[in-house]
Amino acid sequence: MMSKCFQLTAFFLLCCLMTNNSAIAENPMLTSGNGSVPSENRGLVLSACYSLLLQSDSCKSENDWSVVKEESTLKINYRISDKGYPQFAALHLNDGYFRMVYGVEGGWGTSVIIPPGFWMGGAYYQGAPIEVTWEKECDKLILNLSGTLAGLSFSGKITLSPPGEESIVADVTMTTSGNINLDVREGEAFKPVMLSSMRISDTIWDASGAFAGAVNYTIPTTGVIVDPLVSDTTFGLSGGTSSWKTNAPTVVVDLDRMLPITGWVTPSMDSNDDNIGFWAASSAVLSSWSYTVMVKK
């Protein structure tokens, strides 16, 4: 696939040729009727082409992303000059769980569940197999995904920007189609985005705390994390270092709208068990939504 930079550069060169040959001779609005572009029009054509070329400035840097599919996981790597291609993200194709690390010293931890979750007919539906394609655009990596869960089709895009200084950002856009009848459940009927993590004791955890907006919340051993519900555009789980995990990431979700935020902890003694769910909710199925995920130290 041609990069946007290559496409725009090629278009600019074509414009240059067009102003000096008969390629547009049949266009009476640009030519003087003799197969050439009048001098007064050449400036306009070149100016427009040059403006388009300037838009490709951000594409001039080399795209350093690499994607490797291993069984049911996409391993997403980024080239670091003195460290090769360390892994910065993983997307699990069997359930749509997505994780990132903020750098080569960062540890893995909290996941973002990309497919929406919901209650219907007294049952809870969460996680779904996804089909994914990927492409590079300028310095970004774009993952295009789609899937179906209990009759609700969803599709979306994850756009990864190059890692920053101890942080990495992904922009997520999602849409749904299909008719499902949600159960009436305050703060959990439909979950456009949910964080999944682990905390089984004060010394064994991936998440040290929770937050919604500027308010921090203690993660209990069991039960509701935020009670009563709060509404905000930002929520997340804090990381840190425990006896179990070094440099677990802090994961911050910035929503495109105000939504109720809450979560739940299921008691567990298994350190490999994600027993924390922390999510944004809606009482109705959303047809489209977007959010930004920042993973940082």
Side-chain angles (χ1 to χ4, degrees):
M1 181 179 295
M2 289 191 298
S3 70
K4 182 181 290 184
C5 178
F6 180 85
Q7 291 171 339
L8 289 173
T9 302
F11 181 61
F12 175 69
L13 293 174
L14 177 61
C15 286
C16 293
L17 292 173
M18 287 170 59
T19 60
N20 290 284
N21 63 29
S22 59
I24 55 172
E26 297 181 359
N27 189 333
M29 296 186 65
L30 292 177
T31 66
S32 58
N34 61 2
S36 64
V37 178
S39 58
E40 63 269 22
N41 285 350
R42 291 180 185 178
L44 293 174
V45 173
L46 287 173
S47 177
C49 292
Y50 185 64
S51 295
L52 286 172
L53 182 63
L54 289 178
Q55 296 176 20
S56 70
D57 282 349
S58 61
C59 305
K60 291 181 179 178
S61 61
E62 183 179 353
N63 190 300
D64 293 317
W65 292 103
S66 169
V67 179
V68 178
K69 182 179 179 182
E70 292 189 4
E71 297 181 345
S72 62
T73 302
L74 287 187
K75 294 186 175 182
I76 300 164
N77 314 300
Y78 189 83
R79 187 176 68 86
I80 303 296
S81 59
D82 59 340
K83 292 181 172 58
Y85 278 84
Q87 186 177 353
F88 276 87
L91 179 59
H92 297 272
L93 304 179
N94 57 349
D95 54 19
Y97 280 55
F98 179 61
R99 293 192 296 166
M100 295 187 289
V101 291
Y102 58 78
V104 294
E105 303 300 328
W108 297 93
T110 297
S111 299
V112 183
I113 305 177
I114 301 296
F118 52 86
W119 283 89
M120 180 177 66
Y124 180 58
Y125 297 89
Q126 174 181 296
I130 56 175
E131 297 287 337
V132 180
T133 62
W134 58 90
E135 57 187 316
K136 298 177 181 180
E137 184 175 295
C138 300
D139 60 351
K140 301 183 188 305
L141 176 68
I142 300 174
L143 307 174
N144 301 292
L145 63 96
S146 61
T148 301
L149 178 61
L152 183 70
S153 297
F154 59 86
S155 61
K157 180 169 68 175
I158 304 172
T159 302
L160 282 148
S161 296
E165 191 72 22
E166 295 185 331
S167 69
I168 187 170
V169 172
D171 294 308
V172 181
T173 59
M174 297 290 292
T175 62
T176 59
S177 61
N179 296 314
I180 61 172
N181 296 315
L182 295 179
D183 292 348
V184 178
R185 300 181 72 100
E186 184 181 17
E188 61 175 351
F190 184 82
K191 303 175 183 179
V193 54
M194 175 171 163
L195 301 181
S196 180
S197 196
M198 182 276 292
R199 183 183 179 91
I200 62 173
S201 74
D202 290 339
T203 58
I204 303 176
W205 47 262
D206 287 333
S208 59
F211 56 89
V215 180
N216 294 318
Y217 296 90
T218 299
I219 298 176
T221 56
T222 184
V224 181
I225 298 176
V226 179
D227 188 21
L229 286 173
V230 298
S231 290
D232 214 298
T233 58
T234 302
F235 73 99
L237 292 172
S238 301
T241 295
S242 67
S243 61
W244 159 257
K245 179 68 61 68
T246 299
N247 295 333
T250 291
V251 180
V252 185
V253 178
D254 285 320
L255 303 164
D256 65 346
R257 70 198 73 187
M258 187 84 69
L259 288 175
I261 308 296
T262 190
W264 183 266
V265 180
T266 301
S268 175
M269 294 303 293
D270 183 357
S271 57
N272 293 311
D273 178 24
D274 273 10
N275 67 324
I276 297 173
F278 198 49
W279 62 81
S282 171
S283 59
V285 174
L286 299 181
S287 60
S288 64
W289 66 95
S290 64
Y291 55 91
T292 296
V293 180
M294 173 180 281
V295 169
K296 62 181 183 178
K297 186 173 182 179

